[in-house]
Amino acid sequence: MKRILLLLPEGFEFLEASVFIDVFGWNLVDGDGTTKLFSCGMTKEVTSAFDQKLIADYLIEEINVDDFDALAIPGGFEQCGYYIDSFKEPILNLIREFHSKDKWIASVCVAAIVLGRSGILKGKKATTYNMNPERQAMLSKYDVNLVQEPIVVDGKIITSWNPSTAMNVAYMLLECLTSSQNMIFIRKMMGFKERKRKTTI
Protein backbone atom coordinates (compact mmCIF):
# COMPACT_ATOMS: atom_id res chain seq x y z
CA MET A 1 0.00 0.00 0.00
CA LYS A 2 1.36 3.42 -1.01
CA ARG A 3 0.66 6.01 1.70
CA ILE A 4 0.32 9.68 0.77
CA LEU A 5 0.59 12.41 3.39
CA LEU A 6 -1.50 15.54 2.78
CA LEU A 7 0.08 18.47 4.61
CA LEU A 8 -2.47 21.07 5.72
CA PRO A 9 -1.04 24.42 6.84
CA GLU A 10 -3.50 26.88 8.37
CA GLY A 11 -5.15 28.89 5.59
CA PHE A 12 -4.83 26.13 2.99
CA GLU A 13 -7.08 26.27 -0.06
CA PHE A 14 -9.73 23.57 0.22
CA LEU A 15 -10.04 22.91 -3.51
CA GLU A 16 -6.33 22.26 -3.82
CA ALA A 17 -6.42 19.82 -0.90
CA SER A 18 -9.58 18.08 -2.06
CA VAL A 19 -8.14 16.93 -5.39
CA PHE A 20 -5.65 14.69 -3.60
CA ILE A 21 -8.35 13.36 -1.28
CA ASP A 22 -10.61 12.50 -4.22
CA VAL A 23 -8.06 11.11 -6.67
CA PHE A 24 -6.42 8.81 -4.15
CA GLY A 25 -9.78 7.91 -2.65
CA TRP A 26 -11.13 6.93 -6.07
CA ASN A 27 -8.01 4.87 -6.67
CA LEU A 28 -8.48 3.06 -3.37
CA VAL A 29 -12.09 2.18 -4.20
CA ASP A 30 -12.18 1.84 -8.01
CA GLY A 31 -8.55 1.77 -9.12
CA ASP A 32 -5.75 -0.62 -8.28
CA GLY A 33 -6.42 -0.17 -4.55
CA THR A 34 -2.80 0.50 -3.70
CA THR A 35 -3.01 4.06 -2.34
CA LYS A 36 -4.34 5.57 0.85
CA LEU A 37 -4.18 9.22 1.87
CA PHE A 38 -3.70 10.63 5.36
CA SER A 39 -3.58 14.26 6.50
CA CYS A 40 -1.50 16.13 9.05
CA GLY A 41 -1.25 19.63 10.46
CA MET A 42 0.34 21.69 13.19
CA THR A 43 -2.96 21.25 15.04
CA LYS A 44 -5.61 18.52 14.78
CA GLU A 45 -8.27 20.99 13.66
CA VAL A 46 -7.05 23.04 10.71
CA THR A 47 -8.91 26.04 9.31
CA SER A 48 -8.90 26.51 5.55
CA ALA A 49 -8.61 29.81 3.70
CA PHE A 50 -12.36 30.31 3.73
CA ASP A 51 -12.97 29.18 7.32
CA GLN A 52 -13.96 25.56 6.73
CA LYS A 53 -12.52 23.23 9.36
CA LEU A 54 -10.83 19.91 8.68
CA ILE A 55 -9.74 17.38 11.30
CA ALA A 56 -6.28 16.07 10.44
CA ASP A 57 -5.40 12.43 10.95
CA TYR A 58 -2.07 13.28 12.56
CA LEU A 59 -0.13 16.07 14.17
CA ILE A 60 3.17 16.77 12.43
CA GLU A 61 5.17 15.56 15.43
CA GLU A 62 3.47 12.16 15.12
CA ILE A 63 4.69 11.61 11.56
CA ASN A 64 7.34 9.03 10.73
CA VAL A 65 8.37 9.87 7.17
CA ASP A 66 9.45 6.27 6.58
CA ASP A 67 5.76 5.30 6.79
CA PHE A 68 4.85 7.39 3.72
CA ASP A 69 5.66 7.32 0.03
CA ALA A 70 4.73 10.87 -0.99
CA LEU A 71 3.88 14.31 0.35
CA ALA A 72 1.13 16.52 -1.13
CA ILE A 73 0.82 20.21 -0.26
CA PRO A 74 -1.99 22.58 -1.27
CA GLY A 75 -1.43 26.31 -1.53
CA GLY A 76 -3.30 28.89 0.51
CA PHE A 77 -3.94 32.54 1.26
CA GLU A 78 -1.57 34.95 2.97
CA GLN A 79 -4.57 36.81 4.44
CA CYS A 80 -5.60 33.60 6.20
CA GLY A 81 -2.23 32.89 7.81
CA TYR A 82 -0.90 30.43 5.24
CA TYR A 83 2.69 31.68 5.26
CA ILE A 84 2.76 32.14 9.01
CA ASP A 85 1.93 28.47 9.51
CA SER A 86 3.67 26.91 6.53
CA PHE A 87 6.96 28.72 7.21
CA LYS A 88 7.25 27.17 10.68
CA GLU A 89 10.23 24.89 11.18
CA PRO A 90 8.25 21.67 11.87
CA ILE A 91 6.62 21.97 8.44
CA LEU A 92 9.86 22.93 6.68
CA ASN A 93 11.71 20.08 8.40
CA LEU A 94 9.03 17.61 7.33
CA ILE A 95 9.48 18.71 3.71
CA ARG A 96 13.26 18.44 3.99
CA GLU A 97 13.00 14.92 5.37
CA PHE A 98 10.69 13.74 2.57
CA HIS A 99 13.15 15.19 0.07
CA SER A 100 16.24 13.72 1.75
CA LYS A 101 14.62 10.28 1.59
CA ASP A 102 13.91 10.67 -2.15
CA LYS A 103 10.13 10.59 -1.85
CA TRP A 104 7.69 12.32 -4.21
CA ILE A 105 6.58 15.83 -3.23
CA ALA A 106 3.64 17.37 -5.10
CA SER A 107 2.65 20.99 -4.54
CA VAL A 108 -0.03 23.25 -5.95
CA CYS A 109 0.16 27.02 -6.50
CA VAL A 110 1.98 28.93 -3.73
CA ALA A 111 2.91 25.73 -1.90
CA ALA A 112 5.99 25.91 -4.15
CA ILE A 113 7.07 28.94 -2.12
CA VAL A 114 7.01 26.77 0.99
CA LEU A 115 9.21 24.24 -0.80
CA GLY A 116 11.53 27.09 -1.75
CA ARG A 117 11.66 28.28 1.84
CA SER A 118 12.65 24.77 2.94
CA GLY A 119 15.66 24.90 0.60
CA ILE A 120 14.81 21.83 -1.47
CA LEU A 121 14.27 23.83 -4.68
CA LYS A 122 17.68 25.49 -4.72
CA GLY A 123 19.03 25.24 -8.28
CA LYS A 124 15.94 23.37 -9.46
CA LYS A 125 13.25 24.22 -11.99
CA ALA A 126 9.89 25.15 -10.48
CA THR A 127 6.85 27.34 -10.90
CA THR A 128 4.22 28.95 -8.69
CA TYR A 129 1.13 31.17 -8.84
CA ASN A 130 1.29 32.88 -12.23
CA MET A 131 -1.28 35.67 -11.82
CA ASN A 132 0.73 37.67 -9.26
CA PRO A 133 4.36 38.68 -9.97
CA GLU A 134 4.94 39.08 -6.23
CA ARG A 135 4.45 35.35 -5.68
CA GLN A 136 6.85 34.47 -8.47
CA ALA A 137 9.39 36.88 -7.02
CA MET A 138 9.01 35.21 -3.61
CA LEU A 139 9.88 31.86 -5.17
CA SER A 140 12.79 33.20 -7.22
CA LYS A 141 14.57 34.58 -4.16
CA TYR A 142 15.20 31.00 -3.00
CA ASP A 143 17.64 30.44 -5.92
CA VAL A 144 14.97 28.65 -7.97
CA ASN A 145 14.99 28.48 -11.76
CA LEU A 146 11.51 29.89 -12.37
CA VAL A 147 9.71 28.31 -15.33
CA GLN A 148 6.58 29.76 -16.93
CA GLU A 149 4.72 26.49 -17.41
CA PRO A 150 1.52 25.18 -15.74
CA ILE A 151 3.22 22.15 -14.20
CA VAL A 152 6.95 21.66 -13.68
CA VAL A 153 8.66 18.46 -12.55
CA ASP A 154 12.28 18.40 -11.43
CA GLY A 155 13.44 15.11 -9.98
CA LYS A 156 10.67 13.98 -7.64
CA ILE A 157 9.27 17.47 -7.02
CA ILE A 158 6.11 18.71 -8.73
CA THR A 159 5.14 22.40 -8.70
CA SER A 160 2.29 24.15 -10.49
CA TRP A 161 0.67 27.49 -11.33
CA ASN A 162 -2.76 27.83 -9.69
CA PRO A 163 -5.96 25.99 -8.66
CA SER A 164 -6.72 25.09 -12.28
CA THR A 165 -3.66 22.81 -12.29
CA ALA A 166 -4.50 21.03 -9.04
CA MET A 167 -6.37 18.06 -10.49
CA ASN A 168 -3.63 17.36 -13.02
CA VAL A 169 -1.01 17.51 -10.26
CA ALA A 170 -2.98 14.91 -8.30
CA TYR A 171 -3.27 12.69 -11.37
CA MET A 172 0.44 13.08 -12.05
CA LEU A 173 1.27 12.00 -8.51
CA LEU A 174 -1.07 9.02 -8.87
CA GLU A 175 0.72 8.04 -12.08
CA CYS A 176 4.11 8.31 -10.38
CA LEU A 177 2.99 6.08 -7.51
CA THR A 178 1.05 3.52 -9.59
CA SER A 179 1.09 3.48 -13.40
CA SER A 180 0.01 5.47 -16.45
CA GLN A 181 -2.65 2.89 -17.24
CA ASN A 182 -4.11 3.11 -13.76
CA MET A 183 -4.09 6.92 -13.80
CA ILE A 184 -5.87 7.03 -17.16
CA PHE A 185 -8.47 4.59 -15.84
CA ILE A 186 -9.16 6.76 -12.76
CA ARG A 187 -9.43 9.90 -14.91
CA LYS A 188 -12.00 8.12 -17.04
CA MET A 189 -13.92 6.81 -14.03
CA MET A 190 -14.06 10.35 -12.60
CA GLY A 191 -15.37 11.69 -15.92
CA PHE A 192 -12.29 13.65 -16.96
CA LYS A 193 -11.13 13.51 -20.55
CA GLU A 194 -7.52 12.68 -21.19
CA ARG A 195 -5.69 15.94 -21.84
CA LYS A 196 -2.23 16.69 -23.14
CA ARG A 197 -0.68 19.50 -21.14
CA LYS A 198 2.85 20.73 -21.61
CA THR A 199 5.00 19.85 -18.66
CA THR A 200 8.59 20.89 -18.08
CA ILE A 201 10.94 18.26 -16.67
Side-chain angles (χ1 to χ4, degrees):
M1 182 68 72
K2 300 289 180 64
R3 291 162 57 96
I4 300 90
L5 185 64
L6 179 64
L7 176 59
L8 299 173
E10 195 82 3
F12 73 92
E13 188 164 356
F14 221 104
L15 183 151
E16 295 176 9
S18 70
V19 295
F20 296 106
I21 295 169
D22 259 41
V23 166
F24 288 102
W26 272 79
N27 187 60
L28 181 64
V29 174
D30 285 327
D32 68 7
T34 64
T35 59
K36 190 166 177 59
L37 183 139
F38 302 85
S39 58
C40 76
M42 292 289 291
T43 56
K44 286 289 284 186
E45 182 178 273
V46 186
T47 304
S48 75
F50 309 123
D51 288 329
Q52 280 72 43
K53 308 286 193 283
L54 194 150
I55 304 300
D57 296 306
Y58 298 104
L59 294 171
I60 283 182
E61 59 261 33
E62 297 173 326
I63 296 298
N64 181 350
V65 172
D66 292 331
D67 292 338
F68 296 90
D69 299 280
L71 179 66
I73 315 173
F77 279 71
E78 180 177 19
Q79 301 91 324
C80 304
Y82 182 79
Y83 298 115
I84 293 172
D85 206 42
S86 64
F87 283 3
K88 290 178 179 175
E89 280 303 308
I91 285 180
L92 299 178
N93 285 333
L94 183 71
I95 293 168
R96 291 166 185 143
E97 189 172 359
F98 267 87
H99 181 61
S100 71
K101 295 187 174 183
D102 198 34
K103 297 174 186 282
W104 279 99
I105 300 174
S107 68
V108 181
C109 198
V110 297
I113 296 170
V114 183
L115 301 186
R117 178 87 169 194
S118 76
I120 72 167
L121 290 180
K122 187 174 182 178
K124 292 185 177 294
K125 296 176 183 177
T127 195
T128 192
Y129 186 53
N130 60 317
M131 305 301 289
N132 184 340
E134 180 184 348
R135 298 302 174 223
Q136 299 211 336
M138 285 177 69
L139 181 61
S140 294
K141 77 176 185 179
Y142 296 115
D143 295 325
V144 176
N145 295 324
L146 186 66
V147 178
Q148 297 298 335
E149 295 290 347
I151 299 176
V152 176
V153 183
D154 193 326
K156 288 189 174 180
I157 302 172
I158 304 170
T159 56
S160 74
W161 264 351
N162 53 49
S164 73
T165 64
M167 186 63 80
N168 283 337
V169 170
Y171 282 131
M172 184 174 289
L173 184 59
L174 177 65
E175 181 178 11
C176 293
L177 295 176
T178 62
S179 68
S180 297
Q181 183 179 7
N182 183 62
M183 180 275 289
I184 292 168
F185 175 74
I186 292 299
R187 281 191 71 107
K188 182 179 178 181
M189 290 296 291
M190 293 180 73
F192 288 89
K193 294 180 180 179
E194 188 174 358
R195 291 194 301 174
K196 300 294 184 182
R197 174 166 267 177
K198 189 175 180 182
T199 301
T200 298
I201 301 177

Short mmCIF file of all heavy atoms in Angstrom, two decimals, residues 151-173:
data_model
loop_
_atom_site.label_atom_id
_atom_site.label_comp_id
_atom_site.label_asym_id
_atom_site.label_seq_id
_atom_site.Cartn_x
_atom_site.Cartn_y
_atom_site.Cartn_z
N ILE A 151 2.72 23.16 -15.12
CA ILE A 151 3.22 22.15 -14.20
C ILE A 151 4.69 21.90 -14.52
O ILE A 151 5.05 21.74 -15.69
CB ILE A 151 2.43 20.83 -14.30
CG1 ILE A 151 0.96 21.06 -13.95
CG2 ILE A 151 3.02 19.76 -13.38
CD1 ILE A 151 0.08 19.84 -14.13
N VAL A 152 5.52 21.88 -13.50
CA VAL A 152 6.95 21.66 -13.68
C VAL A 152 7.38 20.51 -12.76
O VAL A 152 7.02 20.49 -11.57
CB VAL A 152 7.75 22.93 -13.35
CG1 VAL A 152 9.26 22.66 -13.44
CG2 VAL A 152 7.36 24.07 -14.29
N VAL A 153 8.12 19.58 -13.32
CA VAL A 153 8.66 18.46 -12.55
C VAL A 153 10.18 18.51 -12.63
O VAL A 153 10.75 18.60 -13.72
CB VAL A 153 8.16 17.11 -13.10
CG1 VAL A 153 8.69 15.96 -12.23
CG2 VAL A 153 6.65 17.08 -13.17
N ASP A 154 10.82 18.48 -11.49
CA ASP A 154 12.28 18.40 -11.43
C ASP A 154 12.63 17.33 -10.40
O ASP A 154 12.36 17.50 -9.21
CB ASP A 154 12.90 19.74 -11.05
CG ASP A 154 14.42 19.78 -11.29
OD1 ASP A 154 15.07 18.72 -11.12
OD2 ASP A 154 14.94 20.84 -11.65
N GLY A 155 13.21 16.25 -10.87
CA GLY A 155 13.44 15.11 -9.98
C GLY A 155 12.11 14.57 -9.51
O GLY A 155 11.23 14.25 -10.31
N LYS A 156 11.93 14.48 -8.21
CA LYS A 156 10.67 13.98 -7.64
C LYS A 156 9.84 15.11 -7.01
O LYS A 156 9.06 14.88 -6.09
CB LYS A 156 10.94 12.87 -6.62
CG LYS A 156 11.40 11.57 -7.25
CD LYS A 156 11.44 10.44 -6.23
CE LYS A 156 11.74 9.12 -6.91
NZ LYS A 156 11.78 7.99 -5.94
N ILE A 157 10.01 16.33 -7.54
CA ILE A 157 9.27 17.47 -7.02
C ILE A 157 8.37 18.02 -8.12
O ILE A 157 8.83 18.32 -9.22
CB ILE A 157 10.22 18.58 -6.52
CG1 ILE A 157 11.15 18.03 -5.43
CG2 ILE A 157 9.42 19.76 -5.99
CD1 ILE A 157 12.24 19.00 -5.02
N ILE A 158 7.09 18.16 -7.80
CA ILE A 158 6.11 18.71 -8.73
C ILE A 158 5.64 20.06 -8.20
O ILE A 158 5.25 20.17 -7.03
CB ILE A 158 4.89 17.78 -8.88
CG1 ILE A 158 5.33 16.37 -9.31
CG2 ILE A 158 3.89 18.36 -9.87
CD1 ILE A 158 4.20 15.34 -9.24
N THR A 159 5.69 21.09 -9.05
CA THR A 159 5.14 22.40 -8.70
C THR A 159 4.16 22.81 -9.80
O THR A 159 4.23 22.30 -10.92
CB THR A 159 6.25 23.46 -8.54
OG1 THR A 159 7.03 23.52 -9.75
CG2 THR A 159 7.16 23.12 -7.36
N SER A 160 3.28 23.76 -9.48
CA SER A 160 2.29 24.15 -10.49
C SER A 160 1.82 25.59 -10.28
O SER A 160 2.09 26.21 -9.26
CB SER A 160 1.10 23.19 -10.47
OG SER A 160 0.28 23.42 -9.35
N TRP A 161 1.06 26.09 -11.27
CA TRP A 161 0.67 27.49 -11.33
C TRP A 161 -0.40 27.90 -10.32
O TRP A 161 -0.21 28.83 -9.56
CB TRP A 161 0.11 27.79 -12.72
CG TRP A 161 1.13 28.38 -13.64
CD1 TRP A 161 2.38 28.83 -13.33
CD2 TRP A 161 0.96 28.60 -15.05
NE1 TRP A 161 3.01 29.32 -14.45
CE2 TRP A 161 2.16 29.19 -15.52
CE3 TRP A 161 -0.07 28.35 -15.94
CZ2 TRP A 161 2.34 29.54 -16.85
CZ3 TRP A 161 0.12 28.70 -17.27
CH2 TRP A 161 1.31 29.29 -17.72
N ASN A 162 -1.57 27.28 -10.37
CA ASN A 162 -2.76 27.83 -9.69
C ASN A 162 -3.80 26.73 -9.49
O ASN A 162 -3.56 25.57 -9.87
CB ASN A 162 -3.33 29.00 -10.50
CG ASN A 162 -3.58 28.61 -11.96
OD1 ASN A 162 -4.19 27.58 -12.24
ND2 ASN A 162 -3.12 29.44 -12.90
N PRO A 163 -4.96 27.04 -8.91
CA PRO A 163 -5.96 25.99 -8.66
C PRO A 163 -6.37 25.19 -9.89
O PRO A 163 -6.71 24.01 -9.78
CB PRO A 163 -7.15 26.77 -8.08
CG PRO A 163 -6.53 27.95 -7.42
CD PRO A 163 -5.37 28.33 -8.29
N SER A 164 -6.30 25.81 -11.07
CA SER A 164 -6.72 25.09 -12.28
C SER A 164 -5.80 23.91 -12.60
O SER A 164 -6.18 23.01 -13.34
CB SER A 164 -6.75 26.04 -13.49
OG SER A 164 -5.45 26.38 -13.91
N THR A 165 -4.61 23.90 -12.04
CA THR A 165 -3.66 22.81 -12.29
C THR A 165 -3.76 21.71 -11.25
O THR A 165 -3.13 20.65 -11.41
CB THR A 165 -2.21 23.34 -12.27
OG1 THR A 165 -1.90 23.84 -10.96
CG2 THR A 165 -2.01 24.45 -13.28
N ALA A 166 -4.52 21.93 -10.20
CA ALA A 166 -4.50 21.03 -9.04
C ALA A 166 -4.87 19.60 -9.39
O ALA A 166 -4.19 18.65 -8.97
CB ALA A 166 -5.43 21.56 -7.95
N MET A 167 -5.94 19.42 -10.15
CA MET A 167 -6.37 18.06 -10.49
C MET A 167 -5.30 17.32 -11.28
O MET A 167 -5.01 16.15 -11.03
CB MET A 167 -7.69 18.09 -11.26
CG MET A 167 -8.28 16.72 -11.52
SD MET A 167 -8.73 15.82 -10.01
CE MET A 167 -10.30 16.59 -9.62
N ASN A 168 -4.68 18.01 -12.23
CA ASN A 168 -3.63 17.36 -13.02
C ASN A 168 -2.40 17.02 -12.18
O ASN A 168 -1.73 16.02 -12.44
CB ASN A 168 -3.23 18.24 -14.20
CG ASN A 168 -4.25 18.17 -15.34
OD1 ASN A 168 -4.99 17.20 -15.44
ND2 ASN A 168 -4.29 19.19 -16.17
N VAL A 169 -2.11 17.84 -11.17
CA VAL A 169 -1.01 17.51 -10.26
C VAL A 169 -1.34 16.23 -9.50
O VAL A 169 -0.48 15.33 -9.35
CB VAL A 169 -0.73 18.67 -9.29
CG1 VAL A 169 0.24 18.23 -8.19
CG2 VAL A 169 -0.17 19.87 -10.03
N ALA A 170 -2.57 16.11 -9.02
CA ALA A 170 -2.98 14.91 -8.30
C ALA A 170 -2.90 13.67 -9.19
O ALA A 170 -2.43 12.61 -8.77
CB ALA A 170 -4.38 15.08 -7.74
N TYR A 171 -3.36 13.81 -10.45
CA TYR A 171 -3.27 12.69 -11.37
C TYR A 171 -1.82 12.33 -11.67
O TYR A 171 -1.46 11.15 -11.79
CB TYR A 171 -4.00 13.01 -12.68
CG TYR A 171 -5.50 12.89 -12.59
CD1 TYR A 171 -6.32 13.91 -13.06
CD2 TYR A 171 -6.10 11.76 -12.04
CE1 TYR A 171 -7.70 13.80 -12.99
CE2 TYR A 171 -7.47 11.66 -11.96
CZ TYR A 171 -8.27 12.67 -12.44
OH TYR A 171 -9.63 12.57 -12.36
N MET A 172 -0.97 13.34 -11.79
CA MET A 172 0.44 13.08 -12.05
C MET A 172 1.07 12.32 -10.89
O MET A 172 1.83 11.36 -11.10
CB MET A 172 1.18 14.40 -12.28
CG MET A 172 2.64 14.22 -12.66
SD MET A 172 3.43 15.80 -13.07
CE MET A 172 2.63 16.14 -14.64
N LEU A 173 0.74 12.70 -9.67
CA LEU A 173 1.27 12.00 -8.51
C LEU A 173 0.76 10.56 -8.47
O LEU A 173 1.52 9.63 -8.16
CB LEU A 173 0.91 12.74 -7.22
CG LEU A 173 1.49 12.15 -5.93
CD1 LEU A 173 3.01 12.10 -5.98
CD2 LEU A 173 1.01 12.94 -4.72
#
